[in-house]
Amino acid sequence: KAGVTQTPRYLIKTRGQQVTLSCSPISGHRSVSWYQQTPGQGLQFLFEYFSETQRNKGNFPGRFSGRQFSNSRSEMNVSTLELGDSALYLCASSLEAGDNSPLHFGNGTRLTVT
Amino acid sequence: AQSVTQPDIHITVSEGASLELRCNYSYGATPYLFWYVQSPGQGLQLLLKYFSGDTLVQGIKGFEAEFKRSQSSFNLRKPSVHWSDAAEYFCAVGVIEGGADGLTFGKGTHLIIQP
């Protein structure tokens, strides 16, 4: 069974631009979560989607948004990029929503904002 | 809100030696507990999890962890490390009610293996 696939692996953007990251979950998994990983803040929860609905959202500004499609694939969007948005963005899928459904992570998208 | 502390930022262990990585959490009840491992350039891989029951849980790659309620700890252990165990290790906490914050991760422990 294929794992979680994130595209692209690397992105370089300029301040003020917007970016869209994509995540394909493991087949049969209905929940997709997004995390931001930086050296200073570590892993921080962005949001979780289940059955095309945002179930939870972390403490990030409204510039960070996401969506989930009927096939469970998910995208996250960051608008008006700032230098501080440079990070590894990790997508994780799980069978069900909720913290007791173990997460399976993709290899991430490395975003660099210049 | 829950929190996780991994007191050791770096740990260096000789190959073949035993390993213990510390994790302490703060939460009003017994949470869901996880250990993940991240190799350079990779995502996180689940090593093991604790939800309830036996407080000693076995995971993949020969790892185990013990939940100690009295100490609010969930330390990860391995009796004999291999060079391939060099990686970043993260302890994570989830809340029983299915909270609104996703999993809360510790800052990680970087494991270095000496030959």
Side-chain angles (χ1 to χ4, degrees):
Chain A
K1 187 183 276 192
V4 177
T5 303
Q6 292 189 245
T7 56
R9 282 299 306 273
Y10 302 94
L11 266 178
I12 300 175
K13 291 287 188 179
T14 304
R15 272 179 300 175
Q17 289 186 314
Q18 74 165 20
V19 67
T20 299
L21 313 182
S22 180
C23 173
S24 294
I26 291 173
S27 178
H29 285 197
R30 298 194 295 161
S31 175
V32 173
S33 300
W34 290 88
Y35 286 80
Q36 182 195 64
Q37 185 177 26
T38 59
Q41 298 299 316
L43 281 151
Q44 294 184 282
F45 172 72
L46 280 157
F47 25 66
E48 178 188 11
Y49 286 87
F50 181 76
S51 293
E52 300 179 66
T53 301
Q54 187 180 89
R55 186 172 172 273
N56 296 318
K57 187 174 180 6
N59 188 25
F60 279 82
R63 300 185 296 106
F64 291 80
S65 63
R67 59 178 176 168
Q68 186 181 33
F69 302 96
S70 58
N71 61 358
S72 293
R73 192 177 69 84
S74 177
E75 289 180 347
M76 68 163 281
N77 184 276
V78 187
S79 62
T80 319
L81 284 165
E82 301 177 359
L83 294 179
D85 297 333
S86 295
L88 180 66
Y89 290 88
L90 292 165
C91 168
S93 73
S94 56
L95 272 171
E96 300 291 338
D99 292 355
N100 60 336
S101 192
L103 299 177
H104 299 262
F105 284 84
N107 287 334
T109 294
R110 171 76 62 185
L111 173 64
T112 302
V113 182
T114 62
Chain B
Q2 66 273 24
S3 65
V4 181
T5 302
Q6 292 181 246
D8 305 303
I9 298 174
H10 301 278
I11 280 190
T12 300
V13 177
S14 297
E15 190 169 15
S18 64
L19 170 71
E20 182 169 32
L21 302 183
R22 296 183 291 164
C23 172
N24 292 96
Y25 69 88
S26 174
Y27 181 59
T30 300
Y32 301 126
L33 294 161
F34 306 84
W35 274 99
Y36 284 87
V37 61
Q38 184 178 34
S39 298
Q42 305 292 313
L44 280 71
Q45 181 183 23
L46 178 66
L47 285 175
L48 46 78
K49 61 186 184 291
Y50 174 79
F51 290 170
S52 64
D54 192 347
T55 57
L56 184 64
V57 293
Q58 303 297 321
I60 63 171
K61 303 184 180 187
F63 286 93
E64 68 178 26
E66 185 172 14
F67 169 61
K68 292 186 177 179
R69 186 192 311 274
S70 62
Q71 298 175 20
S72 297
S73 69
F74 189 56
N75 294 348
L76 182 72
R77 300 194 295 248
K78 186 170 185 178
S80 176
V81 298
H82 185 262
W83 64 266
S84 60
D85 294 324
E88 192 83 16
Y89 291 80
F90 294 92
C91 180
V93 162
V95 298
I96 296 293
E97 309 86 55
D101 302 322
L103 293 188
T104 299
F105 284 85
K107 291 295 175 87
T109 296
H110 184 57
L111 176 62
I112 300 165
I113 306 295
Q114 284 184 159

